[in-house]
Amino acid sequence: TPAHKGEAEQYCPKTVKKLRDGQPVTIVAFGDSVTNGGGVGDRKELWYQHVFARRLQQQFPKAPVTMLTAAWPGGNSRDYMDAPSGSIHDFQRDVLDPHPDLVTIEFVNDAYLDEEGVQKQYRKILDKISAAGAEVILITPHLVRPDWLTTSTLKFDEDPRVYVKGLRRFAGEQQVALADASLLWCRLYRQGIPYTTLLANAINHPDARGQALFADALMALFPEK
C-alpha cells in the first residue's frame, strides 16, 4: 500500500465530505510543465489531473468534479506567485479566484529549493490557499534524468533530492496531505522498469504511464467511498 493512504479524510475533510454528499467539487491543479501535459502534449485526457478527476468521479459518481489547470511550463512556484496581476500567469486569478475546494501542487521545477527553502516557500503558498478557504494536496515530483539527480544509478528506493525531503517534512509538520508520486517512481526498478523509460523526452517529461502514476498517488489519498 502506498504511504499516506487515506490522508484526504484527515487533511482534506471538507472536500471528502462534499464528494460523499454528492456536492460539486472544484479542483485546481497548480504546477509547471508536467501539469501542462508535458510528455503527452495536448491530449488532455492523459494529463494526470484529468486522469485523477475521472477516477475520483467514478469513485464518487454523484459529486460533479470540475478540474481546472493553473500551469506554467518552465516556471516554478515562486515565479507564479510573483507574476504581476493580469499577466499570462496570475496566481490570484488562476488559483484562488475560481474558489476551489482543493488545490493540488506539482512543481518539479521547485527542486532547486533546499529543505529550509521549501519550508519558507510552501508556507507562503499554503497560507494564501488556506486563507481562500481551499484545502491542499502536495505532490512529490517524478524522477528526471539521472545527471540532474546527481546519481549514477537508476536503482534507488529513496529520492536523492533535498527538495523531496523538504516537501515530506513540510507535509508532516503542517499536516498537509501528500501524494507521494516520487515513491511510486522510485519503486519502478523493483518492478523491472527503468524509470527513464517513462520519460517521453528522456529528460523531465513523463509519458502517459508516468502521468498516470501521479493520479495513482493522488487517488491513494482518498477513501473508497
Side-chain angles (χ1 to χ4, degrees):
T1 56
H4 311 284
K5 188 162 176 60
E7 266 191 9
E9 192 105 70
Q10 194 178 353
Y11 299 142
C12 309
K14 291 189 288 187
T15 303
V16 170
K17 186 175 185 330
K18 279 190 160 187
L19 288 166
R20 283 189 171 137
D21 292 350
Q23 293 177 5
V25 167
T26 299
I27 304 170
V28 171
F30 176 45
D32 50 30
S33 57
V34 176
T35 300
N36 203 60
V40 293
D42 55 8
R43 295 176 64 191
K44 289 193 176 177
E45 74 278 7
L46 299 177
W47 296 15
Y48 74 83
Q49 63 270 42
H50 295 299
V51 178
F52 167 51
R54 273 200 309 280
R55 289 173 62 185
L56 201 59
Q57 188 68 83
Q58 283 164 355
Q59 205 146 304
F60 300 96
K62 292 183 179 142
V65 175
T66 301
M67 179 61 73
L68 304 172
T69 297
W72 186 338
N76 58 45
S77 65
R78 185 172 290 151
D79 295 333
Y80 216 127
M81 305 278 285
D82 291 349
S85 176
S87 58
I88 184 161
H89 302 289
D90 177 335
F91 180 77
Q92 176 70 40
R93 178 197 67 213
D94 302 345
V95 180
L96 306 181
D97 287 355
H99 300 296
D101 298 287
L102 179 65
V103 178
T104 63
I105 304 174
E106 172 283 317
F107 278 97
V108 69
N109 290 349
D110 277 353
Y112 72 93
L113 291 167
D114 63 15
E115 212 178 322
E116 290 314 313
V118 173
Q119 312 310 306
K120 223 168 127 184
Q121 173 62 7
Y122 278 75
R123 178 79 260 169
K124 277 186 201 159
I125 301 173
L126 184 61
D127 285 349
K128 288 207 164 187
I129 294 174
S130 302
E135 294 170 326
V136 168
I137 296 177
L138 299 176
I139 304 173
T140 55
H142 63 301
L143 297 173
V144 293
R145 55 189 265 187
D147 57 322
W148 287 10
L149 296 175
T150 59
T151 175
S152 54
T153 173
L154 298 184
K155 298 177 178 178
F156 42 81
D157 292 298
E158 191 54 52
D159 196 307
R161 292 168 290 188
V162 182
Y163 165 61
V164 173
K165 195 178 169 194
L167 265 188
R168 288 175 179 153
R169 181 184 134 196
F170 182 83
E173 289 177 2
Q174 305 299 329
Q175 304 215 302
V176 177
L178 183 76
D180 208 343
S182 155
L183 193 69
L184 301 182
W185 278 75
C186 285
R187 283 181 183 166
L188 287 170
Y189 86 89
R190 293 193 170 276
Q191 300 159 41
I193 305 166
Y195 81 79
T196 47
T197 61
L198 271 67
L199 295 173
N201 60 354
I203 303 171
N204 62 343
H205 285 162
D207 66 10
R209 295 167 301 165
Q211 288 273 349
L213 282 179
F214 287 104
D216 290 346
L218 285 160
M219 283 306 296
L221 301 176
F222 284 83
E224 282 174 22
K225 55 188 177 193

